[in-house]
Each structure stands twice: as C-alpha cells, then as structure tokens.
C-alpha cells in the first residue's frame, strides 16, 4: 500500500480511506505534550500529598487501609472543621436562647429569625415524616399550619406535646350504642362540621351518652377556658369545624370512629393516634435536648397556627 501512496513525502502511515483520508505520523503539538507531562507530574505530586491508593493491606482489624498523603488531609477532617466553624458562629445565638424562655425568643426578631432558620432542619428530621415538610399534615396526621389544635396551640402546650408526646383516647361504642344511636350521632357530627346547630334530640343524645365529657358542652373540644387564653382539653376533636382528624371525613368516617374508638387495645379497626415523646433521657439517641425542644416549639408555633 505504501508503494502506491498518492501523497509521497507527506509522512503518513500509508493507510487511506475514501481515496484521500489518511493517517499521519506527525508528532503532537508542543503545548499538548507540555500539558500532558505536566498532568502526569501533578498526578504524582497529588498522590504524595493526598490520600490516593485504596485497598492496601495492613490495618490491625483486618480491613484494608489506604495511602494517607503527607498533608494528612481527609474529607471527614475537612467536614468536621466546617462543622466547628458553623458551631462557633451559632454559639452566641444558642447561648442567648439557652437563657431565655420561648416567649422571649418569640419577642426578639433577630433570635426568632435564627431559631426559625436553624429549627427547619430539626422539623425535617423529627416531624416532617408525619406532619409534612411545611406542617400541612400527611394522611392520618394533624395539620400544624392551621389554628385547629387538639391540645392547644400555645407555646406551653406545644412544649408539652413535643416533650411528653400525645396519645389520643376514645372509647369504642360498638357494644354501648344501638345502631340508630350511632347513626344519629354520626349525622350530628357531620351536621356540626358543616356549620349546623344540631337538633335538640341530637344534643340530648350527645349529652346522655357522655360525649360532652370529652368534646365539651359546645362540641368544640374545649372543657374550660383558663386565664391567659389557655384552654382545658383532653385532646378530643372539635366537632364544630370542617377539619377532620381522620380522613376522608364525613358520615362513614365519623361512624367508624364512634364504633371502634381511638387507641383501644384489642379492638379491631380502632383508630391509631399516637405521637412519641421527644424529651431526651440521659444520652438516649434520637431524642431532643431541652434547647432543641424550645427552638422547635417556636418553629411549630410560627407555622401559622400558634395561639
């Protein structure tokens, strides 16, 4: 093929395609060679300075080791240094919050802004799985972004809920009420949720069957109003608004709750309504410190429904 080279003296390999496409033997440009050897030199230097080669034998626990580099740098070390820097910046704010009540934090615009920003991570880690990332409530769990509260939305009540947890309780009435009584009460609940007033007969049944003991004389879940705006409640639902604790709501949902109750042991079909306690006990992992509870209380209060 070389003897039939149509481009003699061109320094090509003698390989041709489509008559005039050919492979040349010219050396790469000088700048390219300089860059190539510089990259090789940089790789050698990098492997000396930084961790590079994995899977080297020699650790006492039998696991593989790696070259560590003469600078001693690791990504974990850099991460820890970054955390330390962040903690130094946050320390002055955390120290102030530690000596203040939640009410005082709420009244300080600067500390409030810091608390809301830093507590967003706490809420995402501990609360969002049930209550949604914005407090909108996932199916089967309460909404925190409205003004409807089972146990009250004041700072003290929110602190109690986060610290000690909550466990709803309602007796199952399947063996207590007759079918017409269940039907009447379920329709009463639906009527009240739609803004109705309820008939005298329905109110009489409501009181006679003991519903008033938990849901209150007005059906709004309030047993008494305390000085300072606090309310006394056992966590019973407000029957006078359109917010349903258990979805999808309506007649069938109300009937189901009346029949099988809430958190009733050994009752098939009972509603589950449990919030775990988040107070830290000793060094137990997965729990919140008093400082974190205080900051999370302020965050939940500011989601939109705090009292």
């Amino acid at each position: 093929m070389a003897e039939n080279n149509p481009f003699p003296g061109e320094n090509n390999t003698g390989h041709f395609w489509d008559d005039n496409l050919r492979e040349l033997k010219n050396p790469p440009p000088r700048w390219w060679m300089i860059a190539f050897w510089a990259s090789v030199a940089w790789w050698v230097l990098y492997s000396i300075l930084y961790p590079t080669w994995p899977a080297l034998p020699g650790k006492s626990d039998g696991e593989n080791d790696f070259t560590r580099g003469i600078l001693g740098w690791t990504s974990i070390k850099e991460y820890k240094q970054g955390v330390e820097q962040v903690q130094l910046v946050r320390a002055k704010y955390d120290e102030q919050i530690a000596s203040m009540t939640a009410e005082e934090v709420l009244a300080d615009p600067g500390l409030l802004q810091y608390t809301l920003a830093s507590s967003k991570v706490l809420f995402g880690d501990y609360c969002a799985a049930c209550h949604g990332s914005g407090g909108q409530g996932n199916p089967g769990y309460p909404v925190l972004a409205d003004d409807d509260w089972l146990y009250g939305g004041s700072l003290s009540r929110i602190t109690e809920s986060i610290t000690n947890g909550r466990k709803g309780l309602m007796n199952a009435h399947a063996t207590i009420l007759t079918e017409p009584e269940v039907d009447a009460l379920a329709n009463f609940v639906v009527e009240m949720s739609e803004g109705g007033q309820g008939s005298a007969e329905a109110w009489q049944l409501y009181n006679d069957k003991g519903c008033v003991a938990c849901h209150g004389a007005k059906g709004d879940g309030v047993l008494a109003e305390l000085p300072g705006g606090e309310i006394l409640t056992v966590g019973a639902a407000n029957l006078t608004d359109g917010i349903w604790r258990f979805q999808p709501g309506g007649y069938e949902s109300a009937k189901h709750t009346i029949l099988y109750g809430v958190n009733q042991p050994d009752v098939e079909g009972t509603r589950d309504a449990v919030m775990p306690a988040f107070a830290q006990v000793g060094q137990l992992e997965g729990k919140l410190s008093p400082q974190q509870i205080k900051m999370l209380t302020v965050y939940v209060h500011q989601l939109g429904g705090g009292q």
Side-chain angles (χ1 to χ4, degrees):
M1 183 178 292
E3 58 271 15
N4 298 322
N5 192 336
F7 304 97
E10 190 184 44
N11 196 30
N12 58 56
T13 62
H15 299 142
F16 302 95
W17 300 269
D18 296 334
D19 296 330
N20 61 357
L21 295 179
R22 63 270 190 199
E23 180 182 1
L24 302 180
K25 295 190 292 184
N26 296 330
R30 184 178 297 275
W31 67 265
W32 191 94
M33 292 302 298
I34 292 174
F36 172 76
W37 289 113
S39 65
V40 172
W42 166 247
W43 175 83
V44 173
L45 179 62
Y46 183 93
S47 65
I48 296 173
L49 296 176
Y50 295 96
T52 306
W53 294 102
L56 296 179
K59 293 187 74 172
S60 58
D61 57 8
E63 294 185 3
N64 291 331
D65 203 351
F66 57 91
T67 58
R68 301 180 181 276
I70 62 176
L71 295 182
W73 178 91
T74 66
S75 58
I76 293 297
K77 184 182 295 185
E78 185 177 57
Y79 161 75
K80 291 181 178 180
Q81 290 173 346
V83 171
E84 290 177 359
Q85 292 173 357
V86 172
Q87 290 175 338
L88 286 175
V89 174
R90 298 180 58 173
K92 61 179 181 179
Y93 299 106
D94 291 334
E95 289 174 2
Q96 293 181 63
I97 293 174
S99 62
M100 301 170 67
T101 65
E103 288 80 4
E104 292 171 333
V105 173
L106 196 63
D108 187 310
L111 286 180
L112 175 59
Q113 184 178 11
Y114 167 78
T115 300
L116 296 180
S118 57
S119 298
K120 187 175 183 179
V121 176
L122 284 175
F123 188 86
D125 289 343
Y126 293 92
C127 312
C130 296
H131 296 289
S133 59
Q136 76 275 15
N138 287 324
Y141 297 93
V143 175
L144 302 181
D146 59 20
D147 58 357
D148 186 82
W149 295 87
L150 293 175
Y151 297 92
S154 66
L155 290 169
S156 61
R157 294 298 185 188
I158 295 173
T159 299
E160 288 177 6
S161 296
I162 297 173
T163 301
N164 303 318
R166 299 291 187 183
K167 184 174 182 178
L169 182 64
M170 176 175 169
N171 291 330
H173 291 78
T175 59
I176 300 175
L177 301 175
T178 65
E179 186 173 339
E181 289 173 335
V182 172
D183 179 74
L185 285 173
N187 281 305
F188 171 73
V189 171
V190 172
E191 181 182 355
M192 294 288 285
S193 72
E194 295 174 347
Q197 301 301 313
S199 65
E201 293 79 6
W203 276 108
Q204 185 65 45
L205 182 62
Y206 172 86
N207 289 311
D208 289 347
K209 297 304 178 179
C211 307
V212 63
C214 295
H215 293 281
K218 299 178 182 179
D220 57 2
V222 177
L223 301 182
E225 295 186 9
L226 305 177
E230 290 278 6
I231 61 172
L232 180 61
T233 174
V234 293
N238 181 357
L239 305 180
T240 65
D241 60 20
I243 299 174
W244 292 83
R245 172 63 181 86
F246 302 103
Q247 297 299 323
Y251 172 81
E252 291 297 334
S253 182
K255 182 178 178 180
H256 184 100
T257 305
I258 294 171
L259 287 173
Y260 307 112
V262 179
N263 292 326
Q264 293 298 291
D266 302 322
V267 176
E268 185 176 355
T270 190
R271 302 288 199 182
D272 293 323
V274 178
M275 174 179 169
F278 285 96
Q280 190 176 63
V281 179
Q283 298 299 317
L284 185 62
E285 294 184 2
K287 298 296 183 178
L288 299 172
S289 67
Q291 175 92 335
Q292 291 173 315
I293 290 177
K294 183 191 304 182
M295 297 175 69
L296 194 53
T297 293
V298 173
Y299 184 88
V300 172
H301 185 274
Q302 291 302 102
L303 280 175
Q307 296 174 351

